[in-house]
Amino acid sequence: TKCPVPLFTASSYSFILSISEEEARVKALNEYLSTRSYIQGFTFSHADVEVFRKFSGPPVDQYIHVVRWYRHIEAIYDGSSEKSEPCKLQTSKGKRVQPPWSPPAGTKHSRLCLYNSLTRNKEIFQPQNGKKVLWYCCGPTVYDASHMGHARSYISFDILRRILRDYFKYDVFYCMNITDIDDKIIKRARQNYLFERYRENKSAPDQLLEDVKTASELFSVKLNETTDPDKKQMLERIQNAVKSAFEPLQEAVQAKLPVEEISRCHETLLEEAKDLLSDWLDTKFGSQVTDNSIFSKLPKFWEGEFHKDMEALNVLPPDVLTRVSEYVPEIVEFVKKIVDNGYGYVSNGSVYFDTMKFDSSEKHSYAKLVPEAVGDQKALQEGEGDLSISADRLSEKHSPNDFALWKSSKPGEPSWDSPWGKGRPGWHIECSAMAGCILGESMDIHGGGFDLRFPHHDNELAQSEAYFENDHWVRYFLHTGHLTIAGCKMSKSLKNFITIKDALKKHTARQLRLAFLMHSWKDTLDYSNNTMESAIQYEKFMNEFFLNVKDILRGPTDVTSRFQKWGNQEAELNKSFYDKKAAVHEALCDNIDTRSVLEEMRSLVSQSNSYIAAKKSSRQMPNRLLLENISSYLTQMLKIFGAIESDDAIGFPVGGNSQTINVESTVMPYLQVLSEFREGVRQIAREKKVTEVLQLSDALRDDVLPELGVRFEDHEGLPTVVKLVDKDTLLKEREEKKKIEEEKKRKKEEAARKKQQQEAAKLAKMKIPPHEMFKSEHDKYSMFDENGFPTHDTEGKELSKGQIKKLRKLYETQEKLYKEYLQMVQNGIAN
């Protein structure tokens, strides 16, 4: 191998050291080093060290070779400066090593916490099997239209599911059921069937009046027995509506009015008395309904409507959907095992769960969710169903707290074979059996509405843990909050509800979702005009930001110009961006607090808007890449929440979610050309003062383009901003703008009218000569002097000095006004 060569030889050593002046010595050293290699293949000698020790400090930059030599020797020299000490140099024999490294301290990572109804606390979410999450959600009982109460649960759970899947990256397996066998369904199906038959029979007016009268007697008994104030109020409304329709038909029949009038009154009463007649018909003929298809037709129809509503709300479909009617054999086996395990008993063809036996077991506990509700007979009977709380049914139980696993079918009810005879599943057992079949002995999450906690979910827990002989059928129980309508309780049974279809006629699915995102998923949400207005304004606020950023990004630029120099404004906005992202993460970890998330996003947009405005006011281009990153992040978060369905990188989709092409990218180039052409024409029109062309340009902006969903925003001294906006939104904006302009015009005209009236009144006052001004006030004065000035009041008393002083001021003021008037007359300007 080649031997390392020292930098300094003996001759050069003595020569360099002989130079006393430091600058001259450095210059000579630089010339010498320029002829030598000191980067590789050398070792330092004692001569090098001697020269190095002569330096009082680092050399100046102009001597480049000395600078490099100095830094190199400084790095491997131990720093000893005493001449008596030996030189401690690392030579090629000693290998240099990297210094020790230690990782940064970092910050504590937040973990996802969820409010668990089993503990009534926020708990760290830890799935049982890695990132896989088994989730069961209670689905609807399909006997009527889906309403906003359903939307409250299913939109909220859709948001949670999407966040767990798309933000926290859990592998979510989501199962939901459809309850298509239930007391409510059976009763409603029978009533609908019997009422339609009654309608088809076309009873005579006299017969209808008689039947309604009979049904009203039964209805009155039900009304008198009702203690719930809300339900009583609902029944009274029905009763009053029937009375209002009953009397016109009765009077029409008695007066023998024309057939058309009687027929109209007949149809009105039939509609108003539908609930009342259906109940009466079911009591009278319900047990005679034996066709099982009647009981499947109703739930099948309403299940289809439910799925359409969920799709319209952009709620993801479940991975697995289970129907009670398809799992009856599995439910029978489930019940059998509960009985075999000693927690169920057979009574008169029905099977009941033994709550006392279960609760007395050391490894089990009944009513984990709401222990204080045990013994609440009203809640328990609601859980059993209207057809299952008759005296004979209740007498079959060992304890009032026990509940039905399997119900023996009565006449007029659907039935399936079982070891205990013909019957049908209880309400609670269906979820336990179906969830057990799909998810096994333990699931990570079970979800449902707040009102299902007791008895439904508590009974589900008891049944399932009795079947699997464990105490952990559900790890985390999530319950969505109630929904009220303008502060009032919402209930389908109380007929106080808004269907999802009706809600979607007033607001979009995105606006409804934003309203839910702006509230905690576990708290009560009030569906009101104020709530929805807040959501609409939030959507508009975000959309305007996205449109502004898109306009900035469309500006002409080459590849390298995309990367602009950052100043303090960019650094500050970027810091805020990362702070907001961290705050969003913290909020999502804290029980998926979407309300705080949306506020952080709003704050980030406000700061970005301020940044854009500051840049534009100083005629500078905002940093495109920074704004693109911010808007892309916000868009991605809204996609995660299910508020954006499209694949657009930035903002809300243009032209609706059903578009197969990207409308914006297709039409925007043409709109940009139109905008630039219009701006050029306006510039010429302003210079040539051609107002007609300017008016046409304004009409294009204000009247034509909004009809096509296009908004042109003109800014003085800046290019026109082009935005694609929902047509209805633009037309609404146009109407509001017209209203504002009309109001301004009205106020202006009103002000001009008032001014004219004031001027006319002033002129009329000016025309009065001072000696005449008080003479008409006979109710105040009785005597005047030669100048028409009052001297005595109506009672003949002389006016006091104070009164005279005040009147004198008025008199003198009028003298001035009258002189002004005479001057105006003289000048020919008085009307």
Side-chain angles (χ1 to χ4, degrees), residues 4 71-72 75 125 159 213 219 244 257 259 291 305 338 350 463 516 526 567 587 616 637 643 716 733 747 756 804:
R71 288 175 182 168
H72 202 70
F125 181 61
I159 291 167
K213 192 174 179 182
F219 190 83
S244 298
L257 294 178
V259 174
D291 184 358
E305 294 301 301
I338 291 174
S350 295
Q463 294 164 159
F516 285 30
D526 186 44
K616 286 191 173 181
M637 292 308 300
E716 191 65 37
E733 285 178 1
K747 286 182 177 178
Q756 192 175 12
I804 291 172

Side-chain angles (χ1 to χ4, degrees), residues 151-162:
R152 171 60 172 144
S153 278
Y154 300 122
I155 291 177
S156 296
F157 282 132
D158 186 66
I159 291 167
L160 299 186
R161 177 187 176 190
R162 288 171 181 269

Side-chain angles (χ1 to χ4, degrees), residues 426-448:
W427 177 34
H428 315 298
I429 194 67
E430 61 182 60
C431 290
S432 295
M434 293 187 294
C437 286
I438 302 298
L439 304 179
E441 66 174 18
S442 184
M443 69 184 77
D444 298 292
I445 297 175
H446 191 322

Side-chain angles (χ1 to χ4, degrees), residues 93 105 180 233 238 240 246 318 333 363 386 435 460 462 470 479-480 569 592 665-666 681 687 743 759 765:
K93 294 179 182 179
D180 57 354
Q233 190 177 32
I238 294 173
N240 292 334
F246 185 92
E333 290 302 313
K363 55 187 174 183
D386 288 348
E460 276 186 36
N470 67 21
H479 289 102
T480 53
Q569 289 173 303
I592 309 185
S665 62
T666 304
V681 170
E687 291 171 0
E743 182 64 17
E759 287 176 352
K765 188 177 180 182

